[in-house]
Each structure stands twice: as C-alpha cells, then as structure tokens.
C-alpha cells in the first residue's frame, strides 16, 4: 500500500535498521524502543491486522513465528527471554495498520505490554 509506512520500509523507500529479511518477512528495530531490544517483525504482504488473516496465511505466520526465534538469537536475547506482542485495532492502541509482531527483550520486561 502506497501510504503505509511499513510498506515503505519494505520497499526501501524509507530507511530502517534491518535485522533480518527474506522473501516473506522483514525485521527492523523500532524507532521508539520500549525495551533495550525492540524489533518489529513484519510480513511483506500488506495485511492490516490480525483480523485480516486468512487460511492462506498459515504458512506465512508459521514461518514468521519460527523466524522470531532466529531473530531473537541475532539480537542476543534468545537465552535471556523475550516477549512477542501483536496489537489489533483501536483498544490495543495499534498505530500502524500493517500487521507486525513486537519482539521485546534485553532486560526484565515486568508488566510492559507495549502500549
Ligand atoms: P503498534 O502501535 O502499531 O502496535 O506499533 C507500531 C510501532 O511502530 C511503534 O512501536 C512505533 O514506534 C513503530 N514505528 C512507527 N513508525 C516507525 C518508523 O517509521 N520506523 C520504525 N522503525 N518504527 C516505527
Ligand atoms: Zn503496509
């Protein structure tokens, strides 16, 4: 989508600190980190939020969740632990309407819920 900030990052129209990328997903550091490690894991397909997932997305989501472990290793937080969060819709505070997983860690997270 042309006016989507994450599509622009995917298309390299705006810069980001890219941590991992393959044909299906991209991971880049959050611009306003809420923990020592705060990386966003984003499918390259523009899917507005969790409610828009369809059966055909099952391989994509499985791939993304497995790659999250690899990205946690790249970021050095696999051993110390991490949290994955997906915000969906207004009450969650979702700001960017392109589905993404927050990968948080690098310090004790307490009750941090990424909003
Ligand atoms: P949401 O509130 O939609 O779950 O999370 C959106 C996240 O995207 C926020 O944590 C916000 O800091 C991050 N973000 C928004 N715009 C940009 C950007 O241009 N670049 C990067 N790297 N992160 C962004
Ligand atoms: Zn998008």
């Amino acid at each position: 989508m042309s006016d989507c900030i994450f599509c622009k990052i995917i298309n390299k129209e705006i810069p980001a600190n890219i941590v991992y990328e393959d044909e299906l997903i991209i991971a880049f550091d959050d611009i306003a980190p809420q923990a020592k490690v705060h990386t966003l894991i984003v499918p390259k397909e523009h899917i507005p939020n969790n409610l828009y997932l369809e059966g055909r997305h099952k391989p994509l989501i499985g791939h993304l969740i497995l790659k999250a472990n690899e990205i946690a290793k790249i970021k050095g937080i696999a051993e110390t632990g991490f949290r994955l969060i997906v915000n969906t819709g207004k009450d969650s505070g979702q700001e960017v309407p392109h589905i993404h997983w927050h990968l948080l860690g690098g310090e004790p997270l307490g009750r941090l819920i990424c909003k």
Side-chain angles (χ1 to χ4, degrees):
M1 256 181 59
S2 56
D3 61 345
C4 169
I5 194 129
F6 287 177
C7 283
K8 284 184 178 156
I9 289 174
I10 290 161
N11 294 328
K12 313 284 163 58
E13 290 165 23
I14 62 168
N17 184 25
I18 296 170
V19 174
Y20 175 84
E21 181 173 14
D22 62 27
E23 69 282 10
L24 293 176
I25 64 169
I26 189 167
F28 51 88
D29 290 330
D30 197 290
I31 204 167
Q34 294 184 47
K36 278 189 182 153
V37 173
H38 187 173
T39 297
L40 302 171
I41 310 176
V42 185
K44 289 189 169 175
E45 180 180 341
H46 180 88
I47 302 165
N49 67 37
N50 206 77
L51 291 166
Y52 289 78
L53 290 172
E54 301 171 2
R56 69 184 174 86
H57 291 123
K58 282 181 184 176
L60 166 65
I61 302 309
H63 175 76
L64 186 149
I65 296 299
L66 288 173
K67 285 293 174 186
N69 291 336
E70 216 173 284
I71 295 161
K73 283 185 192 133
I74 292 169
K75 296 299 293 184
I77 59 170
E79 297 302 321
T80 45
F82 55 85
R83 186 172 293 157
L84 282 172
I85 293 174
V86 183
N87 289 318
T88 303
K90 183 166 66 70
D91 280 357
S92 75
Q94 183 185 6
E95 282 170 24
V96 179
H98 180 137
I99 193 169
H100 51 281
W101 278 248
H102 295 258
L103 171 68
L104 296 145
E107 61 184 320
L109 296 172
R111 293 180 59 79
L112 171 71
I113 54 170
C114 212
K115 269 302 140 193

